[in-house]
Amino acid sequence: MPTDHARETVEPRHGVTDRGSTAVAHPNIALIKYWGKRDEELIIPYVDSLSMTLDVFPTTTTVRLTPGAGGDTVTLDGAPAQGEPRQRVIAFLDLVRELAGRAEPAAVTTRNAVPTGAGLASSASGFAALAVAAAAAYGLALDDTALSRLARRGSASASRSIFGGFALCHAGQGVGAAADHSSYAEPVPVPDFDPALVVALVNAGPKAVSSRTAMRHTVETSPLYPAWAMSSKGDLADMREALDRGDLDAVGEIAERNAFGMHATMLAARPAVRYLSPATVAVLDGVLQLRRDGTPAYATMDAGPNVKVLCRPADAAQVAETVLAAAPGCSVLTARRGPGARLRMRNEP
Ligand code: PMV
């Protein structure tokens, strides 16, 4: 049985050393997608979403308070962060400082094991790790729901990476404070379902259009968006039943239709947003062929050209081989369900 909640075995989140607080979080891949915000400032999604947290590509983030410094410093993968990524981290720290009633600046150091901005959920692992590390550094005692709500303010998908295994993010109700309070993720216990997710990295470069910009443009201009948002409710209900049954074929079919629907909303935006490349389509053809040949394999894609293929762990090697044959030159890695965000123990390297 998979163990998603390794947190009981680590020291509590309030531990802060003079080297700061370090947190580790993993990306998650949505099987029912979040796309579109009904409140841009509070980052409140239009739709509920459901994801699987992975056991690969962790983000490790340290937040160290630097009283007396002139301002925050943000280091991303060894280099000073610039532009929007830097601004988003500083805005997030401002929010944490406001909640904690504190004013000290901080030094934030982040390492991503996944290419940043390539549609591989680096913002999910990034803001989940930042939420956990910053809350600890500023002395905020938050439970998982509150941490999830906080992580959402960085990136809605980050609310789900607070939890291991499968997680459901509620779009919430109402507006303003009511929406903020009711939009958070929670774990979906699925003890007996432990699929593999073969990640096909067809292009690890940063995407041309950020998901933030693309989803705003889609909501504003795509005539298909309302229909997809509505059908997503049915997809979520069906998905929960399929997960309960541990039915890989049903989970895969629902995830695939939900992802294609999301990309259809983008293709119908004016002008279109197209993340899927020829290599993406080649991998999708390979997945279809696998199914025709009797291997259950189902694809999902996010705001980028990379494809994640859901399959049985025993079929992962065959799926990886098919993906490589379809898109030579891409890199392939098999993920399983992974743990929730946590503070790193003092004696860990
Ligand atoms: O939370 P963001 O801004 O990284 O948006 C994520 C959107 C998708 O990855 C396309 C879907 C999802 O639910 O993760």
Side-chain angles (χ1 to χ4, degrees), residues 28-45:
N28 67 75
I29 297 300
L31 302 177
I32 300 295
K33 305 292 186 190
Y34 142 63
W35 195 248
K37 297 176 184 63
R38 62 193 179 89
D39 184 321
E40 291 264 347
E41 201 194 315
L42 293 172
I43 312 200
I44 310 289

Side-chain angles (χ1 to χ4, degrees), residues 196 198 248-249 252-253 256 283-299 309-323:
V198 175
L248 176 76
D249 285 298
E253 271 166 31
E256 208 177 83
V283 173
L284 292 173
D285 282 347
V287 169
L288 203 57
Q289 193 58 47
L290 277 167
R291 284 216 292 274
R292 288 195 183 119
D293 295 343
T295 301
Y298 300 89
V309 185
L310 196 74
C311 63
R312 294 187 297 228
D315 294 332
Q318 186 200 359
V319 170
E321 220 172 273
T322 304
V323 164

Side-chain angles (χ1 to χ4, degrees), residues 85-343:
R86 180 172 182 276
Q87 280 317 317
R88 283 178 70 182
V89 170
I90 291 175
F92 193 86
L93 291 174
D94 286 341
L95 174 66
V96 173
R97 282 189 281 255
E98 190 188 316
L99 290 171
R102 304 200 31 184
E104 303 99 305
V108 177
T109 313
T110 289
R111 278 199 181 277
N112 275 315
V114 56
T116 306
L120 267 174
S122 58
S123 66
S125 53
F127 280 104
L130 182 61
V132 172
Y138 283 99
L140 276 178
L142 302 180
D143 63 15
D144 281 351
T145 304
L147 275 172
S148 173
R149 200 181 286 125
L150 176 62
R152 192 203 75 230
R153 296 291 294 273
S155 179
S157 56
S159 67
R160 303 182 308 237
S161 275
I162 294 296
F163 302 100
F166 295 88
L168 166 69
C169 176
H170 298 280
Q173 299 95 37
V175 294
D180 184 28
H181 197 74
S182 54
S183 181
Y184 55 85
E186 64 185 5
V188 176
V190 191
D192 297 323
F193 186 61
D194 188 18
L197 201 67
V198 175
V199 180
L201 259 174
V202 305
N203 182 347
K207 54 198 165 207
V209 189
S210 72
S211 56
R212 187 165 281 213
T213 303
M215 67 176 81
R216 184 189 302 132
H217 176 66
T218 305
V219 170
E220 284 171 358
T221 70
S222 174
L224 299 193
Y225 183 76
W228 174 77
M230 187 56 78
S231 70
S232 193
K233 289 180 202 284
D235 286 348
L236 177 63
D238 293 348
M239 177 62 79
R240 296 202 67 160
E241 284 179 18
L243 285 171
D244 281 345
R245 296 197 304 275
D247 182 342
L248 176 76
D249 285 298
V251 169
E253 271 166 31
I254 299 160
E256 208 177 83
R257 78 185 185 214
N258 185 266
F260 274 124
M262 178 184 75
H263 283 276
T265 68
M266 295 183 219
L267 291 172
R270 298 167 185 186
V273 178
R274 185 174 57 82
Y275 284 118
L276 313 183
S277 70
T280 311
V281 176
V283 173
L284 292 173
D285 282 347
V287 169
L288 203 57
Q289 193 58 47
L290 277 167
R291 284 216 292 274
R292 288 195 183 119
D293 295 343
T295 301
Y298 300 89
T300 184
M301 298 81 62
D302 293 284
N306 304 310
V307 186
K308 299 95 191 181
V309 185
L310 196 74
C311 63
R312 294 187 297 228
D315 294 332
Q318 186 200 359
V319 170
E321 220 172 273
T322 304
V323 164
L324 276 170
C330 82
S331 48
V332 181
L333 185 133
T334 297
R336 302 288 287 274
R337 53 195 284 174
R342 62 174 179 84
L343 273 185

